[in-house]
């Protein structure tokens, strides 16, 4: 350890000393010097790792596995799904839960019953897994179009004026 | 017989409700008979309308009315395939759907020469009718070839009325229009399924007064007045922009959606859907 790192550690220890008090520090020093400390410490680490593993959502894990399998079997579908999920998660398309539910319904996908946008994304992606690459491409482009298009007056006025000038010629 | 009463918006909402709600889950066809093509705008949005209708010159209601029009020096045009005029707007998981016969501005040109065109819509609908449970025709506000074609084709008329003075005046005009149609068609005319208040808020005194007047006129003509009303809701305008049914529009209120569903249920009861 360099001098600088030692000073940084001392500064951190000073902060912790202030936070927990000198008595706890003395207790900790006694614990660390005990011979079976390492065993107890590694047991604590193992328990927390197990807790973390059980908290991971098994549905999400299997969904990821299914998507990853596509990388080998249908790379086009894989790329479409990954890019779609990325756009969903960054909120660039279907930015609200309601719009996601509506999108699923209007595109003949399984209805979404989710209370959060995050679970809705999983449900939406799962229901899109059964589509062929071509169907998927169409559905994805609809989502992108609906998000790009404001449905605003500018777009309609452009269509109408273009159309009228075409029909005059 | 009056513009701005919400005919196109209500048509789109009815189509969505009949298709989405599992108690109906119907196959619905919407025919846009208005050259202003508002219901096409609602159901397709600008991108799909431009890409799938305009850019590819897809058949529209104009093609139904002009299918026999000949250009000098050109051969007789081939017969119009009725299915080619149908655009799939939305398809749902359970098999229900909303299809559209889109319109375009040029439909107005059909009014320049109206001879022998009145029954073309009826012939078109006869050909595709078995595919659908419900067919909704969105009419333009002014009486013309298109209203006559719609009368000839329809079993029922649903009359949305905005509870205000000028909208209410449209009712006697409708009565005249139906009488005239009857006199030219051996006494036959579509049945008025009812008058429904659209954009109602039950708030302003003018609105309450107009409702009273409309009720009196409806009674005089023997027309049914819907017990349920389509409420005024800012989300309805937004639903058109988003191209969504009211129930799926961002931040739409459940109470407003339920009121709309009540109107649809009442209509379904009236016409036996």
């Amino acid at each position: 350890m360099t001098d600088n790192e030692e000073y940084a550690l001392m500064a951190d220890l000073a902060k912790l000393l202030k936070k927990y008090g000198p008595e706890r520090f003395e207790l900790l020093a006694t614990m660390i010097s005990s011979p079976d400390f390492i065993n107890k410490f590694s047991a604590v680490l193992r328990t927390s790792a197990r807790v973390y593993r059980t908290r991971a959502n098994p549905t999400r894990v299997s969904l990821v596995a299914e998507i990853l399998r596509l990388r080998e079997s249908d790379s086009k579908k894989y790329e479409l799904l990954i890019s779609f999920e990325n756009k969903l998660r960054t909120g660039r398309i279907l930015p609200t839960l309601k719009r996601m539910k509506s999108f699923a319904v209007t595109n003949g996908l399984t209805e979404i019953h989710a209370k959060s946008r995050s679970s809705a994304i999983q449900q939406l992606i799962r229901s899109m897994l059964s589509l062929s690459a071509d169907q998927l491409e169409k559905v994805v482009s609809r989502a992108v179009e609906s998000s790009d298009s404001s449905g605003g007056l500018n777009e309609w006025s452009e269509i109408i004026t273009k159309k009228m000038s075409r029909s005059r010629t | 017989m009056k513009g701005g009463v919400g005919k196109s918006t209500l048509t789109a909402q009815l189509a969505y409700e009949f298709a989405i709600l599992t108690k109906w889950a119907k196959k619905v066809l919407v025919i846009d008979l208005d050259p202003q093509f508002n219901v096409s705008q609602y159901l397709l949005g600008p991108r799909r309308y431009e890409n799938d209708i305009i850019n590819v010159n897809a058949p529209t209601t104009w093609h139904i009315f002009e299918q026999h029009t000949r250009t000098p020096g050109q051969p007789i045009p081939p017969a119009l395939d009725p299915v080619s005029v149908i655009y799939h707007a939305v398809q749902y998981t359970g098999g229900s759907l909303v299809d559209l016969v889109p319109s375009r501005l040029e439909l107005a040109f059909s009014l320049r020469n109206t001879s022998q065109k009145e029954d073309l819509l009826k012939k078109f609908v006869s050909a595709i009718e078995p595919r659908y449970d419900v067919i909704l025709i969105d009419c333009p506000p002014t009486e013309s070839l298109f209203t006559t074609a719609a009368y000839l084709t329809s079993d029922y008329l649903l009359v949305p009325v905005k509870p205000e003075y000028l909208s209410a005046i449209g009712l006697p005009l409708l009565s005249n229009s139906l009488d005239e149609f009857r006199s030219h068609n051996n006494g036959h005319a579509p049945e008025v399924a009812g008058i429904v208040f659209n954009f109602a808020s039950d708030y302003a005194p003018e609105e309450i007064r107009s409702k009273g007047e409309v009720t009196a006129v409806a009674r005089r003509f023997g027309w049914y007045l819907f017990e349920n009303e389509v409420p005024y809701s800012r989300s309805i305008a937004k639903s058109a922009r988003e191209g969504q049914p009211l129930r799926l529009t961002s931040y739409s209120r459940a109470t407003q959606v339920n009121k709309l569903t009540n109107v649809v249920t009442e209509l379904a009861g009236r016409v036996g859907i």
Side-chain angles (χ1 to χ4, degrees):
Chain A
M1 196 181 267
T2 64
D3 284 353
N4 282 343
E5 282 174 328
E6 281 164 5
Y7 287 134
L9 176 61
M10 279 171 65
D12 286 346
L13 284 172
K15 283 179 202 163
L16 291 169
L17 188 63
K18 192 180 172 191
K19 187 175 176 185
Y20 293 99
E23 294 82 7
R24 283 191 185 274
F25 260 70
E26 277 176 33
L27 272 172
L28 184 67
T30 318
M31 263 176 71
I32 291 172
S33 56
S34 155
D36 60 353
F37 169 75
I38 296 297
N39 292 339
K40 278 184 185 168
F41 191 57
S42 59
V44 168
L45 283 179
R46 272 200 303 275
T47 316
S48 60
R50 210 175 301 135
V51 169
Y52 175 77
R53 271 200 297 274
T54 51
R55 277 184 189 162
N57 183 345
T59 320
R60 166 86 186 138
V61 170
S62 69
L63 177 63
V64 170
E66 280 187 62
I67 293 174
L68 285 176
R69 267 197 294 276
L70 282 175
R71 191 157 50 177
E72 303 300 321
S73 58
D74 191 340
S75 60
K76 185 182 175 189
K77 197 165 153 181
Y78 169 79
E79 279 167 24
L80 281 166
L81 271 176
I82 290 292
S83 140
F84 184 68
E85 184 176 8
N86 185 42
K87 284 176 186 156
L88 278 174
R89 293 205 181 273
T90 52
R92 276 179 288 161
I93 53 175
L94 309 174
T96 63
L97 177 60
K98 204 159 194 174
R99 283 185 73 176
M100 287 185 67
K101 286 183 172 181
S102 155
F103 176 78
V105 169
T106 50
N107 283 283
L109 300 166
T110 313
E111 212 172 318
I112 293 175
H113 298 285
K115 287 184 177 166
S116 72
R117 195 170 168 275
S118 163
S119 346
I121 290 174
Q122 282 185 43
Q123 290 184 24
L124 187 63
I125 296 286
R126 184 173 292 285
S127 70
M128 290 168 85
L129 275 171
S130 59
L131 301 177
S132 70
D134 288 346
Q135 288 170 323
L136 190 62
E137 198 166 18
K138 269 187 194 161
V139 170
V140 168
S141 71
R142 267 183 218 156
V144 175
E145 276 171 18
S146 73
S147 303
D148 284 352
S149 166
S150 64
L153 181 62
N154 275 346
E155 285 170 275
W156 280 117
S157 64
E158 204 163 294
I159 291 169
I160 290 165
T161 46
K162 240 197 303 185
K163 202 166 72 160
M164 288 310 282
S165 63
R166 251 187 242 158
S167 60
R168 272 193 212 105
T169 53
Chain B
M1 295 296 120
K2 172 75 177 75
V5 296
K7 289 184 294 298
S8 304
T9 310
L10 185 59
T11 305
Q13 296 294 350
L14 288 174
Y16 279 135
E17 288 286 295
F18 279 132
I20 290 177
L21 290 187
T22 45
K23 63 176 170 177
W24 293 304
K26 298 293 185 192
K27 292 184 168 72
V28 184
L29 174 68
V30 174
I31 300 177
D32 190 352
L33 214 52
D34 190 343
Q36 284 186 25
F37 66 105
N38 286 149
V39 80
S40 304
Q41 290 165 17
Y42 189 140
L43 291 175
L44 300 185
R47 287 284 170 86
R48 284 170 85 190
Y49 187 82
E50 183 172 32
N51 294 338
D52 300 346
I53 307 294
I54 296 303
N55 290 351
V56 296
N57 198 24
T60 60
T61 36
W62 181 87
H63 294 79
I64 295 174
F65 287 100
E66 300 300 328
Q67 57 185 297
H68 301 305
T69 303
R70 289 186 63 181
T71 312
Q74 297 294 316
I76 298 173
L80 179 75
D81 172 13
V83 178
S84 70
V85 195
I86 295 169
Y87 185 89
H88 305 297
V90 188
Q91 177 128 25
Y92 298 99
T93 322
S96 61
L97 51 82
V98 176
D99 279 356
L100 170 73
V101 177
S103 179
R104 52 190 300 161
L105 281 174
E106 290 83 348
L107 178 62
F109 300 162
S110 294
L111 297 171
R112 290 174 182 169
N113 175 7
T114 58
S115 67
Q116 294 183 312
K117 290 180 183 170
E118 289 173 341
D119 60 347
L120 291 174
L121 182 68
K122 188 182 168 79
K123 283 181 184 163
F124 164 77
V125 168
S126 304
I128 48 88
E129 199 177 359
R131 295 167 169 256
Y132 298 98
D133 304 309
V134 181
I135 298 178
L136 302 166
I137 303 176
D138 184 35
C139 286
T142 321
E143 188 168 12
S144 66
L145 156 72
F146 304 129
T147 20
T148 309
Y151 286 163
L152 277 168
T153 312
S154 310
D155 297 318
Y156 296 97
L157 296 183
L158 177 66
V159 189
V161 173
K162 203 170 163 184
E164 61 181 34
Y165 178 64
L166 287 176
S167 293
I169 293 175
L171 291 179
L173 294 175
L174 174 68
S175 172
N176 281 350
S177 165
L178 279 171
D179 284 346
E180 198 173 322
F181 179 82
R182 239 180 244 114
S183 72
H184 286 95
N185 288 278
N186 303 321
H188 294 294
E191 187 183 327
V192 176
I195 294 168
V196 61
F197 284 118
N198 205 8
F199 304 138
S201 63
D202 255 342
Y203 177 68
E206 172 56 31
E207 180 182 319
I208 293 164
R209 190 174 170 185
S210 292
K211 279 185 180 175
E213 288 168 342
V214 169
T215 308
V217 172
R219 212 170 281 150
R220 181 148 59 91
F221 293 126
W223 292 338
Y224 176 80
L225 188 68
F226 273 60
E227 286 171 15
N228 295 286
E229 299 172 351
V230 182
Y232 168 76
S233 162
R234 274 176 289 193
S235 296
I236 287 200
K238 198 174 5 154
S239 67
R241 183 185 288 275
E242 290 184 6
Q244 298 293 350
L246 181 63
R247 63 179 56 251
L248 296 174
T249 301
S250 323
Y251 311 109
S252 59
R253 292 187 180 174
T255 47
Q256 311 289 60
V257 174
N258 290 340
K259 285 180 182 176
L260 173 69
T261 309
N262 291 341
V263 169
V264 185
T265 308
E266 195 174 348
L267 172 67
R270 295 278 304 155
V271 301
I273 291 174

